[in-house]
């Protein structure tokens, strides 16, 4: 009798455990589904990014070699990509490229960048990647610089600018054997509030870097 009851009890207990495990399993799956759902809504999917690290369309309009915007000095080994914003709301990539080229005549300052990404996602190259551009202060000699246009004072980029920026940055990372950790802001070099939106919103900056990572992975997997 005792053995029999004990056996029964053991069996019952075993069944209870099974039910408990199933319940825990269902609960864990439900929680995971909700968490992943929320995560994909607030992160990458927000902009419907389907960007890889292939070479984007680049409109090459090199500046004239001149001391104010294209000194013609060779870069050292490239160790990073530096992101900027133009701080000139509404200006186009062409406006900024022409401004840089015009500095040889106006002589008002020294400024340029290797690339400018426009409001419609267009990309203009102003300085070859193997030459110094005047954008990132003491990092001009070992980085490639990208200026981004923006429609208003918040410094936020349009979806088109953002997409092109992710692809261009990811492509440059592959080209120079860099990772998303080597992508920095002008702010990280000098403390300047540039690019403003990515300085004001640290989460958006991290999201941008993760999107660069995803774009690189998408290309490496293929
Ligand atoms: Zn800057």
């Amino acid at each position: 009798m005792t053995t029999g009851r004990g056996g029964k009890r053991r069996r019952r207990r075993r069944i209870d455990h099974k039910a408990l495990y199933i319940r825990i399993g269902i609960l864990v799956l439900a929680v995971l589904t909700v968490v992943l759902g929320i995560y994909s809504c607030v992160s990458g999917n927000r902009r419907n990014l389907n960007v890889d690290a292939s070479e984007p369309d680049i409109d090459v309009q090199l500046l004239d070699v001149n001391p104010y915007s294209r000194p013609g000095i060779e870069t050292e080994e490239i160790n990073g990509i530096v992101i900027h914003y133009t701080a000139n709301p509404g200006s186009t990539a062409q406006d900024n490229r022409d401004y840089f080229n015009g500095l040889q005549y106006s002589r008002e300052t020294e400024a340029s960048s290797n690339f400018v990404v426009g409001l419609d996602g267009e990309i203009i190259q102003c300085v070859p990647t193997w030459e110094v551009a005047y954008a990132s202060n003491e990092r001009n000699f070992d980085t490639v610089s990208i200026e981004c246009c923006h429609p208003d004072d918040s410094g936020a980029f349009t979806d088109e600018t953002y997409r092109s920026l992710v692809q261009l940055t990811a492509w440059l990372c592959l080209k120079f054997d860099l990772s998303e950790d080597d992508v920095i802001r002008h702010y990280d070099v000098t403390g300047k509030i540039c690019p403003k939106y990515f300085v004001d919103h640290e989460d958006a900056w991290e999201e941008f870097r993760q999107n660069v990572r995803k774009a690189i992975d998408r290309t490496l997997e293929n």
Side-chain angles (χ1 to χ4, degrees):
M1 278 298 276
T2 323
T3 320
R5 252 199 230 149
K8 233 183 197 172
R9 223 177 274 143
R10 266 205 301 279
R11 205 161 43 242
R12 265 182 68 186
R13 207 175 290 144
R14 213 177 294 142
I15 290 164
D16 284 347
H17 273 144
K18 224 186 249 173
L20 188 66
Y21 291 151
I22 289 170
R23 265 185 226 143
I24 290 172
I26 290 171
L27 190 69
V28 167
L29 276 178
V31 168
L32 271 179
T33 307
V34 171
V35 167
L36 283 175
I38 291 170
Y39 177 76
S40 64
C41 279
V42 298
S43 67
N45 291 356
R46 199 185 60 197
R47 289 171 186 269
N48 261 329
L49 275 182
N50 190 20
V51 178
D52 63 15
S54 60
E55 184 174 0
D57 286 334
I58 296 172
D59 179 4
V60 181
Q61 297 184 36
L62 298 182
L63 310 181
D64 303 326
V65 175
N66 75 89
Y68 296 89
S69 49
R70 186 183 166 197
I73 302 167
E74 247 182 72
T75 45
E76 297 157 7
E77 185 190 355
I78 297 298
N79 295 314
I81 315 290
V82 187
I83 311 297
H84 302 260
Y85 87 132
T86 63
N88 187 2
S91 64
T92 66
Q94 191 66 55
D95 291 340
N96 284 280
R97 182 267 168 204
D98 293 346
Y99 168 74
F100 292 147
N101 200 49
L103 289 175
Q104 62 186 309
Y105 309 112
S106 69
R107 301 181 175 190
E108 63 188 68
T109 187
E110 291 175 349
S112 59
S113 69
N114 295 100
F115 298 92
V116 184
V117 181
L119 297 168
D120 296 323
E122 73 278 23
I123 300 170
I124 296 180
Q125 182 168 15
C126 306
V127 177
T129 55
W130 56 87
E131 277 186 36
V132 166
Y134 285 149
S136 313
N137 307 75
E138 61 261 39
R139 295 299 302 274
N140 283 337
F141 287 84
D142 77 329
T143 58
V144 171
S145 50
I146 306 174
E147 281 279 357
C148 299
C149 297
H150 53 101
D152 57 47
D153 287 328
S154 75
F157 303 140
T158 66
D159 284 356
E160 291 79 7
T161 304
Y162 190 90
R163 279 181 67 88
S164 291
L165 178 61
V166 170
Q167 186 177 355
L168 176 61
T169 306
W171 174 65
L172 288 168
C173 280
L174 280 187
K175 191 175 155 78
F176 292 105
D177 197 20
L178 302 172
S179 82
E180 74 278 15
D181 295 331
D182 304 308
V183 179
I184 59 172
R185 301 164 291 190
H186 193 181
Y187 170 79
D188 300 311
V189 180
T190 63
K192 184 180 177 180
I193 307 301
C194 174
K196 181 172 163 50
Y197 192 84
F198 283 159
V199 174
D200 291 346
H201 301 86
E202 196 73 32
D203 53 336
W205 170 242
E206 272 319 308
E207 183 191 359
F208 168 74
R209 279 172 142 186
Q210 286 314 309
N211 281 323
V212 169
R213 175 76 257 160
K214 283 182 207 161
I216 293 169
D217 288 345
R218 208 164 275 141
T219 289
L220 292 180
E221 282 159 12
N222 290 327

